[in-house]
Amino acid sequence: MPYPSDRERDRPWVMRTYAGHSSAAASNELYRRNLAKGQTGLSVAFDLPTQTGYDPDHKLAKGEVGKVGVPVSHIGDMRQLFAGIPLAEANTSMTINAPAMWLLALYVSVAEEQAEAEGRDVDEVLAKLTGTTQNDIIKEYLSRGTYIFPPGPSLRLITDMIAWTVHHVPKWNPINICSYHLQEAGATPTHEVAYALCTAIAVLDAVRDSGQVDADDMAKVVARISFFVNAGVRFVEEMSKMRAFTELWDEITAERYGVTDAKARRLRYGVQVNSLGLTEAQPENNVQRIVLEMLAVTLSRGARARAIQLPAWNEALGLPRPWDQQWALRMQQVLAFETDLLEYEDIFDGSRVIEAKVEEIKTGAREEIARVQELGGAVTAVESGYMKSQLVSSLAEYRRGMEAGERVLVGVNKFDTTEPSPLQAEGAKAIETVDPAVEKEAVAAIEKWRELRDDERAEGALRRLRTVAKTSENLFDATLECARAGVTTGEWSGALRAVFGEYRAPTGVSGAAMSSGGVAEIERVRERVTATSEELGERLRILVGKPGLDGHSNGAEQVAVRARDTGFEVVYQGIRLTPEQIVAAAVQEGVHVVGLSVLSGSHLEVVPEVVDGLQAAGAGDIPVIVGGIIPPDDARLLTERGIAAVFTPKDYELTEIMDGIVTIVREANGLPGR
């Protein structure tokens, strides 16, 4: 995106909405509709099986297909997803991470097919491809959880992909270093800047040291590094964060990598404002939150985002409808085209307040970057659990402030009286729902795909992939061969799993600091826990489980930390567990209550499996509770299926939740109320 001189009106940023669901055909229809409304870029949301490298018929994919994004299992799905959309003219962002190389290979293959169908030069078309693959595995270990492989092989996949794109798809951003999810996991502005830059250093060092890019081409690599940030509602602080981010990136790329071209050193970033900061209570308040958060990344011209996607007002309730996404797009268009925002130089230059805040963030970030480098860099800081425990502790402190009323959340912990919302009027379909038949259709479709493809060619491509994975050769060409041969997402990742192995990241719970607030209330609940333990003759134990593929573990980690602080013995094994694994752990550990966390919409499928599994194991007397983004109708269905309690984001008082869990355990064990 060219930057005009200060006397010219700035060009609007690329406008996107994060979208995709059900199937490639349904998502293609949605993309075309959004482009017709003036959207200038596409942002593809993939479903969790695709993000974690599974096909729709895998056991772990049950209940997850098409829920939080579109399933893309092979090149046929990618063709359908972009049917009628010329990729040489598109600007596409793909949130994919661990299988980023695979999805880009599918995208490139479809672009080649389009070029050949139109009689155009393939290399010319590839040279025009613009967009971004979110390909930041470090933050996946720290926050979002859609990792597959250990850090070393994951960094190799990123390095190979960057090297290949620099030579073959020069306008593509092969990595989107994503601090967005770090903020959701508890990162302060200082953490967000520091850990994102530590990741960038790890990636650039790996590319430089791989020998795949000449020293003279490192400026090209730096110029294609993009970032994806979070903007919270404290927009002065957030805007200062972005100015600090911009200045530190310029400093690091000049000093550490010797990039002399000032244009190549620009911080190039896209943004989505804070989705997990949106509230289920009085969700209409989310509209003004979204607008204020957008201002944080647009007001300062020198640190302005070059791509923005806004969530919808009702994302805390479930999947947004097309109308909700249209509203989010119109917010961007009003700001860009009706106001005079783009007509002026940076209006914050010379502000003493802003300059002081920027320096504060820069100083803190430099110190944290140095600390991580002393530990051995970002990868080592992930493997040791250092960065994760920092985020868990920071989020615990944030929650403490919210519970104490020191951080006001309008409509949640203050000003919570409300009138009925016409946006959620009786009979109104407030969220998009995915037809349960979608998963069955996807399973049938992939079975048919395997029947019709050339199996010999597919198996040959997979053999080559496994062979190359055991060497230091770049993996992208072998991945392209798999894409063209009709290999599936699960087969590609399965081949690499066989060579690289899988990984389970530290949870950060054991190293998290104890809550420093609400001591009296915590002590009261701890006394109830102690008394109940004495009456049962053993320490009260809770299993906190994450069934299915949902990797957003922030809530589960905070529940685990608060349960520990109130005296429970906590069994928490991290993310991505099957119902069978959860049942086995509950029985083996002899827990008194099972708490499940599900944010992906698969609760009606995976939660009953845990209940049924406990019954089959002779442990049906263990109460099960559930937390997550669960609509009221679904909560009623879960209660009817025997769930003892359902908690949603409006239930923010964790100590109060612990108190309720003690009551549930006492009732389940026939103990008198106290």
Side-chain angles (χ1 to χ4, degrees):
M1 182 68 69
Y3 281 65
S5 72
D6 288 337
R7 291 181 299 278
E8 295 176 342
R9 192 177 196 277
D10 200 1
R11 289 182 60 180
W13 49 88
V14 176
M15 299 182 189
R16 297 184 171 119
T17 51
Y18 183 52
H21 65 83
S22 302
S23 66
S27 298
N28 174 262
E29 182 182 348
L30 179 62
Y31 295 162
R32 288 181 175 215
R33 193 185 313 169
N34 287 346
L35 290 170
K37 291 173 181 174
Q39 187 173 300
T40 53
L42 296 172
S43 182
V44 182
F46 296 96
D47 73 352
L48 286 175
T50 305
Q51 291 184 52
T52 51
Y54 294 110
D55 290 331
D57 56 351
H58 192 278
K59 179 171 62 174
L60 273 171
K62 185 175 181 181
E64 307 280 15
V65 177
K67 283 285 173 63
V68 300
V70 57
V72 174
S73 301
H74 46 70
I75 193 170
D77 287 340
M78 190 64 87
R79 288 180 192 129
Q80 180 64 66
L81 187 63
F82 291 103
I85 301 174
L87 297 188
E89 300 168 20
N91 189 307
T92 306
S93 171
M94 295 191 282
T95 302
I96 191 59
N97 297 294
M101 179 182 286
W102 171 244
L103 271 297
L104 181 60
L106 293 176
Y107 190 88
V108 166
S109 297
V110 170
E112 290 173 340
E113 290 179 351
Q114 289 185 353
E116 291 167 356
E118 297 168 7
R120 299 176 63 182
D121 181 81
V122 169
D123 290 336
E124 179 186 324
V125 167
L126 295 187
K128 290 183 177 180
L129 294 184
T130 58
T132 303
T133 27
Q134 192 179 115
N135 189 16
D136 175 1
I137 208 65
I138 297 295
K139 60 88 181 173
E140 294 299 316
Y141 300 131
L142 296 175
S143 54
R144 192 164 167 269
T146 61
Y147 55 81
I148 301 174
F149 313 111
S154 294
L155 195 56
R156 176 190 170 183
L157 285 168
I158 294 169
T159 300
D160 286 358
M161 189 167 152
I162 290 173
W164 191 89
T165 54
V166 163
H167 297 306
H168 299 280
V169 194
K171 292 185 178 180
W172 190 266
N173 302 325
I175 185 168
N176 191 275
I177 294 172
C178 181
S179 66
Y180 174 89
H181 299 97
L182 299 182
Q183 186 181 120
E184 290 189 340
T188 64
T190 296
H191 283 141
E192 190 177 343
V193 172
Y195 294 166
L197 291 176
C198 284
T199 298
I201 289 170
V203 168
L204 287 173
D205 283 359
V207 173
R208 179 194 61 197
D209 298 342
S210 73
Q212 297 188 67
V213 176
D214 293 338
D216 293 343
D217 285 336
M218 279 303 293
K220 294 179 182 178
V221 174
V222 168
R224 300 324 306 175
I225 301 292
S226 65
F227 292 81
F228 189 72
V229 306
N230 200 331
V233 76
R234 292 170 58 84
F235 73 92
V236 173
E237 184 175 74
E238 294 290 336
M239 187 268 295
S240 299
K241 175 189 76 180
M242 293 319 305
R243 289 172 70 99
F245 215 144
T246 298
E247 293 174 21
L248 284 173
W249 178 242
D250 184 79
E251 179 182 301
I252 289 170
T253 53
E255 295 177 3
R256 190 179 183 99
Y257 302 104
V259 178
T260 57
D261 182 357
K263 184 177 179 181
R265 298 198 308 266
R266 286 178 180 150
L267 182 81
R268 303 164 62 256
Y269 78 97
V271 65
Q272 173 160 317
V273 305
N274 193 4
S275 290
L276 284 192
L278 305 182
T279 63
E280 176 188 9
Q282 298 182 25
E284 62 275 8
N285 293 334
N286 294 329
V287 175
Q288 51 264 37
R289 290 188 180 105
I290 291 167
V291 171
L292 288 170
E293 290 166 346
M294 178 170 52
L295 290 177
V297 293
T298 55
L299 282 176
S300 177
R301 183 171 183 171
R304 182 171 291 150
R306 302 318 299 175
I308 297 176
Q309 58 191 47
L310 300 182
W313 69 279
N314 56 350
E315 285 199 16
L317 307 177
L319 192 65
R321 302 158 298 185
W323 183 86
D324 306 313
Q325 293 184 338
Q326 175 182 297
W327 194 358
L329 175 62
R330 296 295 184 245
M331 292 177 198
Q332 295 199 57
Q333 291 169 331
V334 168
L335 182 64
F337 298 110
E338 291 191 25
T339 76
D340 58 353
L341 175 69
L342 301 179
E343 297 174 10
Y344 296 94
E345 300 176 36
D346 199 310
I347 60 177
F348 293 101
D349 285 349
S351 166
R352 295 193 305 275
V353 172
I354 298 301
E355 288 177 356
K357 188 64 180 176
V358 169
E359 284 304 313
E360 176 189 326
I361 294 172
K362 285 169 61 179
T363 299
R366 284 195 188 100
E367 292 172 356
E368 191 64 17
I369 290 169
R371 194 170 296 118
V372 170
Q373 297 309 308
E374 287 171 7
L375 290 171
V379 170
T380 303
V382 164
E383 293 172 330
S384 69
Y386 168 75
M387 286 201 288
K388 181 64 173 178
S389 63
Q390 290 291 104
L391 297 179
V392 173
S393 296
S394 180
L395 186 57
E397 182 61 21
Y398 173 86
R399 292 198 63 90
R400 182 206 64 77
M402 191 176 74
E403 292 176 25
E406 296 167 9
R407 288 180 178 268
V408 173
L409 205 56
V410 174
V412 177
N413 65 353
K414 197 167 185 177
F415 313 117
D416 55 357
T417 57
T418 186
E419 299 294 331
S421 169
L423 292 173
Q424 297 175 276
E426 185 176 352
K429 186 184 177 187
I431 58 172
E432 188 84 22
T433 55
V434 177
D435 190 330
V438 162
E439 186 164 311
K440 293 180 180 178
E441 292 168 359
V443 170
I446 198 163
E447 290 173 351
K448 184 176 180 181
W449 175 266
R450 294 193 192 106
E451 289 174 4
L452 296 177
R453 72 179 180 187
D454 183 340
D455 269 345
E456 186 175 338
R457 183 184 178 193
E459 185 50 47
L462 286 168
R463 276 197 304 273
R464 182 190 170 198
L465 179 68
R466 288 189 292 267
T467 299
V468 172
K470 295 173 184 176
T471 72
S472 59
E473 184 183 337
N474 190 299
L475 279 160
F476 203 91
D477 283 334
T479 296
L480 270 176
E481 185 177 335
C482 286
R484 295 162 181 158
V487 165
T488 69
T489 297
E491 291 168 342
W492 176 85
S493 62
L496 295 184
R497 278 183 167 99
V499 178
F500 296 151
E502 294 188 76
Y503 187 68
R504 185 163 290 277
T507 66
V509 169
S510 60
M514 182 175 175
S515 174
S516 60
V519 176
E521 183 63 14
I522 288 175
E523 186 58 36
R524 185 188 70 79
V525 176
R526 188 184 289 120
E527 289 174 0
R528 289 195 73 205
V529 170
T530 300
T532 303
S533 297
E534 291 173 352
E535 290 174 69
L536 291 172
E538 56 183 341
R539 188 176 175 190
L540 211 54
R541 288 184 294 280
I542 180 173
L543 184 149
V544 178
K546 289 284 296 177
L549 296 178
D550 169 32
H552 283 93
S553 58
N554 306 332
E557 288 155 2
Q558 293 305 308
V559 167
V561 169
R562 189 61 56 88
R564 180 202 64 188
D565 291 351
T566 53
F568 282 87
E569 180 180 327
V570 179
V571 179
Y572 177 57
Q573 299 172 323
I575 62 171
R576 220 179 300 165
L577 300 171
T578 64
E580 293 83 2
Q581 288 172 320
I582 291 172
V583 168
V587 172
Q588 182 177 343
E589 299 289 345
V591 302
H592 301 95
V593 60
V594 172
L596 304 177
S597 170
V598 185
L599 283 84
S600 65
S602 63
H603 44 267
L604 291 180
E605 290 84 5
V606 297
V607 171
E609 285 197 31
V610 174
V611 174
D612 294 343
L614 288 170
Q615 289 278 3
D621 57 337
I622 300 176
V624 177
I625 61 176
V626 182
I629 299 176
I630 301 173
D633 289 345
D634 289 0
R636 283 191 289 272
L637 290 173
L638 289 173
T639 302
E640 291 170 4
R641 282 288 272 114
I643 300 303
V646 176
F647 299 99
T648 66
K650 69 177 182 296
D651 303 301
Y652 67 93
E653 291 273 10
L654 286 179
T655 305
E656 187 177 302
I657 290 173
M658 294 302 123
D659 195 32
I661 292 173
V662 176
T663 299
I664 289 170
V665 172
R666 293 186 67 84
E667 291 174 351
N669 287 274
L671 300 178
R674 53 170 293 173

